[in-house]
Amino acid sequence: MDNRGREIKVKDFPFGISTGCFYRQSIFDCLRPIQSAGFSRLEICSFPDHLDYHDHQRVAEASQLIRELRMDAYSFHAPFGPEMDITHLDPQVRKRSVDEVCVAAKAAAILGVRHLVIHPGPEKSDLPKAERWDRMTNAAAELEFLAEYCRQLDIYLVLENMLPHLFFGCVTDVLWIIGAIRRTDVGVCLDTGHAHLAGDLPHVVPKLSNHLWMLHASDNSGSADDHYPPGRGGIDWEHLIRQLIKADFSGGIILEIAGTDNISETLQRAQQGQAYLCDTIRRCNSSLRRDPGDEDRREGE
């Protein structure tokens, strides 16, 4: 128990890897090397050259191979880019973007994933401030629809915090959209690199509370979204892991690191990042068992 009567549980988090690390290559060239490297849980990338989610026959073939390799299709990342904008003021543009996410959701259902991860806002940094309220309202309405659509497919919608110069790039925006959606079955995927750049990472876990369902784990220098393996940048992973343990977080930690054309080299970097996090988790579990009030003192400093 900690000094406020809360039980501190020994935690171990399920790790996985995003196939977005290999978006330049076909998923069919990546799955066996990923399995051989010791990763079984996957977030599947929607980049068309990696896996064309419009081709449901090809998606079904990928799903079959994942099952044959005894891997777990944990999540699917919805498409994103300048042309995708569910917040747009033009209803036709919004409809095209929502329709595209629905196609991706159908592919996610074929893959048998549990979570569809979506960027709630557009990949644009020069949006007029006068549009902000209308765009946020549009986002809430379309995400409400998409959440219901996903539940009909037996998957869950998960919102990812974006880069700080974009819509929904800070924790206050994420909390607003969660509050604006009437549904209670929409979660949050915390992108550690994005939150670090926004300055939100030290305090984001307690604020997100039960909405936090999964993590995209990468590190950076604090000035760019480098997608380094954990431990290679400036993130205080020990502080983050302690917060996750105390929040009784039980979601997946998906490594989302920058890849190269060399699959083996990328996987080696992912293994190093996972080993760093596992070692950090062991240290945090041990420290919290010895002195469960230590984190409360650190946060009060």
Side-chain angles (χ1 to χ4, degrees), residues 59-77:
V59 173
E61 292 170 4
S63 179
Q64 177 63 30
L65 180 56
I66 289 169
R67 289 195 300 271
E68 289 175 3
L69 295 172
R70 299 183 182 277
M71 303 176 86
D72 174 22
Y74 183 76
S75 52
F76 185 75
H77 203 306

Side-chain angles (χ1 to χ4, degrees), residues 209-220:
S209 186
N210 293 334
H211 298 296
L212 183 57
W213 290 3
M214 56 184 291
L215 261 68
H216 281 169
S218 69
D219 213 331
N220 62 59

Side-chain angles (χ1 to χ4, degrees), residues 35-53:
Q35 184 211 43
S36 297
F39 294 100
S40 60
R41 183 172 284 103
L42 304 171
E43 176 167 291
I44 299 167
C45 171
S46 61
F47 192 71
D49 290 345
H50 181 70
L51 178 64
D52 184 358
Y53 58 89

Side-chain angles (χ1 to χ4, degrees), residues 218-260:
S218 69
D219 213 331
N220 62 59
S221 61
S223 58
D225 195 20
D226 303 302
H227 282 272
Y228 295 148
R232 296 285 186 89
I235 289 178
D236 184 347
W237 289 98
E238 185 167 336
H239 179 73
L240 177 61
I241 294 298
R242 283 168 171 262
Q243 288 195 330
L244 293 172
I245 292 171
K246 298 188 82 171
D248 199 24
F249 172 75
S250 59
I253 297 180
I254 304 296
L255 293 162
E256 193 184 53
I257 65 172
T260 69

